[in-house]
């Protein structure tokens, strides 16, 4: 949905843009302000120093991601993300996290014999049990005998809609900060 909306809202035909904005609105920021298409967002430059603050606070990124040893180990380590993703790919990863999920960070959904559903990162898989890490970083060991089904989810553990807590400028600053995180030579 996001991919189609993003493409149609950036169309050269104004009528297509208007209809797309009405039928397939782009994600919104704090205060319900609609973001422009990614093709417009990538033209903006932010303040990486302000992005650090956004990363650690209102952006909630540090709850799941590490940068240079600080943060949590739920999502991928972002210490060198600026060497791996372009500006456009960075926006897409934030605005549509399920579109491309990093290897070893896929979410698994387990249906237990009791009817309870558990989900998280598969951090251990043995003959006797599996271990899932939830979004709070808590590991749960589940005996194989208790599992009715185990499936990889098409949804990222990173929730969609995180930009709703940010202004457009905070998002731009956050991306600028993430782009500054380069591999040391």
């Amino acid at each position: 949905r996001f991919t189609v909306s993003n493409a149609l809202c950036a169309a050269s035909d104004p009528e297509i843009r208007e209809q797309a904005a009405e039928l397939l609105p782009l994600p919104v920021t704090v205060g319900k302000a609609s973001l422009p298409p990614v093709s417009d967002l990538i033209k903006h430059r932010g303040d990486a120093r302000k992005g650090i603050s956004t990363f650690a606070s209102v952006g909630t990124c540090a709850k799941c991601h590490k940068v240079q040893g600080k943060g949590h180990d739920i999502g991928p380590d972002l210490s060198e993300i600026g060497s791996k993703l372009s500006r456009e790919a960075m926006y897409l990863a934030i605005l549509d996290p399920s579109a491309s999920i990093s290897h070893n960070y896929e979410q698994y959904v387990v249906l237990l014999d009791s009817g309870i559903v558990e989900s998280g990162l598969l951090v251990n898989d043995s003959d006797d049990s599996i271990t899932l890490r939830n979004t709070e970083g808590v590991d749960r060991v589940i005996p194989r005998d208790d599992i009715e089904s185990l499936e990889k989810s098409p949804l990222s553990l990173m929730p969609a809609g995180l930009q709703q807590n940010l202004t457009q400028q905070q998002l731009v600053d956050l991306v600028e900060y993430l782009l500054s995180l380069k591999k040391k030579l």
Side-chain angles (χ1 to χ4, degrees), residues 82-138:
S83 299
K84 298 173 185 174
L85 295 182
S86 67
R87 187 176 300 275
E88 179 178 20
M90 202 75 71
Y91 280 111
L92 294 174
I94 295 167
L95 298 173
D96 192 11
S98 294
S100 179
I101 302 170
S102 296
H103 179 64
N104 290 333
Y105 290 95
E106 298 94 349
Q107 178 173 209
Y108 283 79
V109 179
V110 177
L111 173 60
L112 302 176
D113 293 333
S114 65
I116 294 173
V117 176
E118 299 277 349
S119 63
L121 298 177
L122 185 63
V123 294
N124 191 24
D125 188 355
S126 72
D127 291 339
D128 300 326
S129 67
I130 64 164
T131 304
L132 289 182
R133 179 170 295 146
N134 69 16
T135 56
E136 287 79 41
V138 176

Side-chain angles (χ1 to χ4, degrees), residues 31-94:
K32 305 279 187 227
S34 290
L35 285 169
V38 173
S39 58
D40 289 344
L41 273 174
I42 63 173
K43 296 173 186 172
H44 296 273
R45 296 298 177 264
D47 183 336
R49 289 173 299 177
K50 290 180 181 177
I52 293 170
S53 174
T54 299
F55 183 92
S57 61
V58 68
T60 69
C61 312
K63 286 184 175 182
C64 296
H65 296 282
K66 279 187 177 183
V67 171
Q68 298 160 352
K70 295 178 184 171
H72 292 92
D73 195 20
I74 298 167
D77 186 317
L78 300 180
S79 297
E80 299 175 353
I81 195 68
S83 299
K84 298 173 185 174
L85 295 182
S86 67
R87 187 176 300 275
E88 179 178 20
M90 202 75 71
Y91 280 111
L92 294 174
I94 295 167

Side-chain angles (χ1 to χ4, degrees), residues 133-150:
R133 179 170 295 146
N134 69 16
T135 56
E136 287 79 41
V138 176
D139 290 354
R140 167 120 193 266
V141 177
I142 303 170
R144 285 239 178 237
D145 292 342
D146 293 350
I147 297 173
E148 186 172 314
S149 68
L150 170 66

Side-chain angles (χ1 to χ4, degrees), residues 1-15:
R1 182 178 172 99
F2 172 78
T3 303
V4 171
S5 173
N6 187 51
L8 292 174
C9 287
S12 59
D13 185 322
E15 189 175 328

